[in-house]
């Protein structure tokens, strides 16, 4: 395998030989592996190779094995390759993304080759974040959302998910069917449509969890794993990131984190989109935070009942979101 992989890699990059192969991790549900490849005779000391080789009969860790899920995962890798090849170059140090080095189809799969962020100065991975580190990730999201704000057009989302995030309702009908009956299931479609109908749209990362952020010793942040990047309201990324905080958030903590995000978002939007009304942007998006959190909880209740992210705080967000939807209906009537 190493000999053939080296040959394939040489068709993408110029180097003399491979010094070392290192498996970083297997891809979700057995769809390949993430490798660090140390090179000799190259301008890169090492590169990251995502080797996508979907096996026959791959077993999902939670038993979700279906043709629908299989096709969704295959598309996610096509989306990621398109993202890196066509749009990732729009990132800068404020929303750092690995440099795209190339990709190609191989027998039974695909290779995606990227810059090694460890070599670029982002060697740290964290399972738990301090409040300062969490706000650094929120700042990354704010700059990313600003960069693509109001680019929810057919042209910009071509090749990406029309609606970003891996849990969005239209691609998770199996999980919806398995949800218990109740107010959240009843409200699922309206939660989805409310986020979809936001006046301000951008591109969302779609899987903005702790594990997908890389840290520099000086606190700078980069992000990886763009399989579910697509159109949407930025609150979807924010709600998902904050769902990674263990335990319950207080309203004061929630407000503090949202304040930090919107400060960075508005400061950046004023520079990048000087004609945009940043107060209207916050007024539109901020109430959608609980809607986005409830939307994610909808997915969890069908996918993994009792998941550790289904906290009392998440339940309170659901109540607030359903109540806000009722108020919206009353306002329209």
């Amino acid at each position: 395998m190493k000999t053939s992989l080296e040959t394939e890699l040489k068709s993408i990059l110029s180097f003399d030989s491979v010094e070392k192969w290192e498996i970083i991790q297997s891809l979700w549900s057995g769809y390949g592996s993430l490798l660090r490849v140390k090179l000799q005779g190259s301008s890169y000391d090492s590169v990251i190779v995502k080797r996508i080789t979907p096996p026959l009969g791959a077993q999902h860790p939670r038993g979700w094995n279906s043709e629908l899920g299989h096709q969704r995962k295959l598309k996610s890798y096509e989306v990621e390759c398109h993202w890196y090849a066509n749009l990732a170059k729009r990132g800068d140090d404020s929303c750092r993304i690995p440099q795209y080095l190339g990709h190609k189809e191989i027998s039974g799969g695909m290779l995606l080759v990227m810059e090694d962020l460890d070599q670029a100065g982002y060697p740290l991975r964290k399972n738990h974040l301090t409040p300062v580190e969490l706000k650094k990730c929120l700042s990354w999201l704010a700059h990313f959302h600003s960069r693509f704000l109001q680019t929810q057009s057919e042209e910009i989302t071509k090749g990406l998910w029309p609606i970003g995030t891996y849990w969005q309702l239209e691609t998770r009908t199996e999980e919806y069917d398995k949800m218990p009956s109740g107010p959240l299931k009843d409200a699922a479609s309206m939660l989805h449509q409310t986020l979809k109908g936001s006046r301000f749209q951008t591109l969302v990362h779609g899987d903005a969890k702790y594990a997908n952020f890389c840290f520099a010793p000086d606190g700078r942040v980069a992000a990886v794993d763009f399989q579910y990047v697509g159109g949407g309201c930025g609150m979807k990324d924010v709600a998902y990131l904050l769902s990674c905080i263990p335990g319950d958030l207080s309203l004061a903590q929630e407000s503090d984190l949202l304040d930090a995000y919107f400060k960075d978002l508005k400061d950046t939007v004023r520079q990048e989109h000087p004609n945009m009304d940043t107060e209207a942007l916050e007024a539109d998006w901020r109430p959608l935070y609980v809607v986005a959190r409830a939307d994610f909880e909808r997915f969890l209740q069908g996918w993994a009942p009792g998941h550790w992210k289904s906290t009392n705080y998440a339940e309170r967000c659901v109540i607030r979101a359903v109540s806000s939807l009722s108020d919206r209906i009353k306002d329209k009537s």
Side-chain angles (χ1 to χ4, degrees), residues 32-283:
S33 55
L34 193 66
L35 307 166
R36 173 171 287 109
V37 185
K38 295 188 177 181
L39 303 174
Q40 291 184 333
S42 170
S43 56
Y44 302 96
D45 291 336
S46 62
V47 296
I48 299 299
V49 177
K50 203 166 194 176
R51 182 173 178 264
I52 304 152
T53 53
L56 294 175
Q59 294 299 309
H60 190 285
R62 293 187 182 273
W64 291 95
N65 298 301
S66 69
E67 182 60 23
L68 181 63
H70 174 66
Q71 293 301 323
R72 183 176 58 246
K73 284 189 278 288
L74 291 182
K75 181 176 179 179
S76 77
Y77 292 117
E78 294 173 1
V79 163
E80 185 170 40
C81 287
H82 179 86
W83 159 259
Y84 275 111
N86 297 283
L87 292 166
K89 57 180 177 267
R90 297 194 185 187
D92 60 17
D93 286 345
S94 65
C95 52
R96 185 68 157 81
I97 297 162
Q99 179 187 356
Y100 165 78
L101 302 179
H103 77 276
K104 68 172 296 183
E105 293 184 5
I106 59 173
S107 178
M110 188 179 298
L111 289 184
L112 172 61
V113 186
M114 298 164 286
E115 169 190 26
D116 184 352
L117 285 177
D118 280 16
Q119 293 292 327
Y122 297 84
L124 305 177
R125 311 292 184 269
K126 298 175 182 286
N127 294 322
H128 303 282
L129 302 185
T130 67
V132 170
E133 291 166 343
L134 186 58
K135 287 179 180 179
K136 290 283 187 179
C137 294
L138 286 169
S139 181
W140 188 98
L141 289 174
H143 284 86
F144 180 80
H145 294 154
S146 176
R147 188 63 40 85
F148 296 98
L149 194 60
Q150 283 202 331
T151 56
Q152 168 80 338
S153 67
E154 184 176 339
E155 180 180 352
I156 201 71
T157 57
K158 184 178 180 180
L160 306 178
W161 294 98
I163 301 175
T165 73
Y166 70 83
W167 65 88
Q168 72 101 351
L169 184 61
E170 293 177 11
T171 60
R172 291 293 188 168
T173 54
E174 293 174 306
E175 291 81 358
Y176 172 79
D177 290 341
K178 289 184 178 292
M179 281 183 70
S181 298
L184 181 54
K185 189 168 187 175
D186 293 343
S189 179
M190 184 168 282
L191 292 168
H192 174 72
Q193 292 299 329
T194 300
L195 291 166
K196 187 177 177 180
S198 169
R199 173 184 166 192
F200 296 92
Q201 297 286 317
T202 184
L203 293 185
V204 295
H205 178 283
D207 193 7
K209 59 189 176 186
Y210 291 2
N212 286 336
F213 287 97
C214 307
F215 294 82
D218 63 5
R220 289 174 298 132
V221 175
V224 297
D225 199 348
F226 288 85
Q227 288 175 232
Y228 290 93
V229 63
C233 164
M235 288 295 94
K236 296 172 78 172
D237 278 337
V238 172
Y240 184 62
L241 177 65
L242 299 194
S243 79
C244 299
I245 300 172
D248 287 319
L249 274 183
S250 68
L251 288 179
Q253 289 171 313
E254 174 194 297
S255 180
D256 177 60
L257 292 168
L258 291 179
D259 286 348
Y261 168 81
F262 278 109
K263 179 183 184 304
D264 283 347
L265 179 67
K266 292 193 292 185
D267 286 348
T268 308
V269 169
R270 289 185 188 109
Q271 296 174 24
E272 297 182 344
H273 309 278
N275 295 323
M276 186 171 291
D277 185 343
T278 58
E279 297 305 320
L281 170 61
E282 181 173 4

